[in-house]
């Protein structure tokens, strides 16, 4: 059992929000959360974590906006809060969820063109399932919107240029964007470890093995 896991068991209930959600996920505790949720709800969390989309944007997503040939989700101005078109990359993780949904919808007649469905019907909300799962894990102050914060932070930590992250997340101002990037002490420490190892001649693969 690692240190994060010991702390998680010792400190209950856990107060967790946007600032520490990244640590929560990379510490392995997210697995404990999702194991108490059905697969349709898990796929919604996966979508939020991988795309930085807002909850309503994800649940309203239709297949005609998913361009798998180019690896992009294309939202129109009327689909998003900022009222400007937005293109979102389909990551490998998100593609796994999309593939599952396509396979499932081939077997069960879907009554809509929605991407995220449960038994062929559009998922309207996972708030009840999310609330029950957080309660079972002794977690407080965790919102679905915090997964958007975490995705944006993760993109920033990966070294993706700020302008690219802003375009994919729909942030028009640097001030708004910076409010979503929650750099933690462990991010700073591990980033410097990675670059120090590179400067000392270690391979890129060895350097990238540092856990975020």
């Amino acid at each position: 059992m690692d240190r994060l896991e010991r702390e998680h068991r010792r400190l209950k209930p856990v107060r967790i929000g946007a600032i520490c959600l990244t640590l929560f996920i990379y510490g392995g505790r997210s697995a404990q959360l999702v194991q108490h949720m059905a697969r349709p709800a898990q796929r919604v969390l996966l979508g939020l974590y991988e795309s930085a989309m807002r909850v309503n944007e994800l649940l309203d997503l239709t297949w005609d906006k998913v361009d798998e040939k180019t690896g992009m989700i294309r939202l129109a101005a009327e689909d998003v809060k900022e009222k400007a078109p937005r293109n979102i990359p389909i990551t490998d993780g998100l593609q796994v969820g999309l593939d599952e949904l396509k396979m499932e919808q081939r077997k069960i007649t879907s009554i809509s063109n929605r991407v995220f469905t449960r038994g062929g019907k559009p998922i309207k909300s996972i708030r009840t399932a999310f609330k029950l799962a957080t309660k079972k894990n002794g977690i407080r102050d965790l919102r679905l919107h915090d997964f958007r914060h975490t995705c944006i932070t993760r993109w920033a930590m990966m070294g993706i240029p700020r302008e690219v992250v802003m375009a994919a997340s729909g942030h028009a101002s640097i001030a708004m964007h910076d409010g979503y990037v929650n750099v933690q002490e462990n991010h700073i420490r591990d980033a410097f470890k990675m670059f120090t190892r590179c400067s000392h001649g270690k391979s890129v693969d060895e350097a990238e093995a540092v856990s975020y």
Side-chain angles (χ1 to χ4, degrees):
M1 185 186 302
D2 62 20
R3 179 178 57 82
L4 286 171
E5 182 67 18
R6 288 195 299 271
E7 289 180 1
H8 174 58
R9 294 191 176 186
R10 181 172 59 85
L11 300 174
K12 290 188 175 181
V14 178
R15 297 185 62 85
I16 190 165
I19 291 180
C20 52
L21 179 57
T22 300
L23 182 59
F24 170 80
I25 287 176
Y26 291 130
R29 285 172 277 180
S30 58
Q32 299 173 20
L33 174 66
V34 298
Q35 72 181 2
H36 289 110
M37 303 178 75
R39 188 57 182 165
Q42 290 178 357
R43 287 193 294 248
V44 172
L45 287 188
L46 172 67
L48 296 173
Y49 175 71
E50 291 287 343
S51 71
M53 294 172 71
R54 300 177 180 91
V55 178
N56 65 303
E57 294 171 352
L58 190 79
L59 294 182
D60 290 341
L61 183 65
T62 52
W63 284 110
D64 57 296
K65 300 182 187 301
V66 179
D67 186 351
E68 292 183 271
K69 289 184 179 179
T70 60
M72 300 295 288
I73 292 173
R74 305 185 186 281
L75 301 181
E78 59 267 24
D79 299 325
V80 298
K81 181 179 179 181
E82 59 269 17
K83 302 302 178 185
R86 187 161 97 240
N87 295 328
I88 302 160
I90 299 175
T91 64
D92 290 344
L94 181 55
Q95 187 66 61
V96 170
L98 295 177
D99 289 343
E100 280 188 19
L101 285 159
K102 284 187 295 183
M103 185 177 299
E104 183 179 286
Q105 290 173 11
R106 289 192 192 107
K107 298 177 181 178
I108 303 174
T109 302
S110 178
I111 63 174
S112 74
N113 192 33
R114 295 283 181 85
V115 173
F116 289 87
T117 57
R118 181 190 293 111
K121 298 180 180 180
I123 296 176
K124 296 181 179 179
S125 174
I126 65 163
R127 294 191 184 281
T128 299
F130 184 71
K131 184 176 181 180
L132 288 173
T134 54
K135 184 177 181 179
K136 286 181 179 179
N137 282 276
I139 300 165
R140 293 189 294 172
D141 295 344
L142 177 61
R143 310 167 302 160
L144 288 171
H145 191 71
D146 293 334
F147 284 80
R148 174 170 162 84
H149 284 256
T150 298
C151 181
I152 292 170
T153 299
R154 184 164 51 89
W155 285 346
M157 294 299 96
M158 289 167 61
I160 298 173
R162 173 189 279 177
E163 294 81 2
V164 176
V165 176
M166 288 177 64
S169 60
H171 287 154
S173 72
I174 292 175
M176 174 64 75
H177 172 73
D178 288 350
Y180 273 71
V181 178
N182 303 302
V183 179
Q184 299 295 294
E185 179 180 314
N186 66 300
H187 297 150
I188 298 171
R189 181 190 64 242
D190 290 350
F192 273 89
K193 280 184 180 179
M194 182 178 70
F195 287 110
T196 299
R197 290 184 180 189
C198 287
S199 66
H200 289 168
K202 288 188 177 285
S203 69
V204 173
D205 288 341
E206 289 178 306
E208 289 181 344
V210 177
S211 172
Y212 282 94

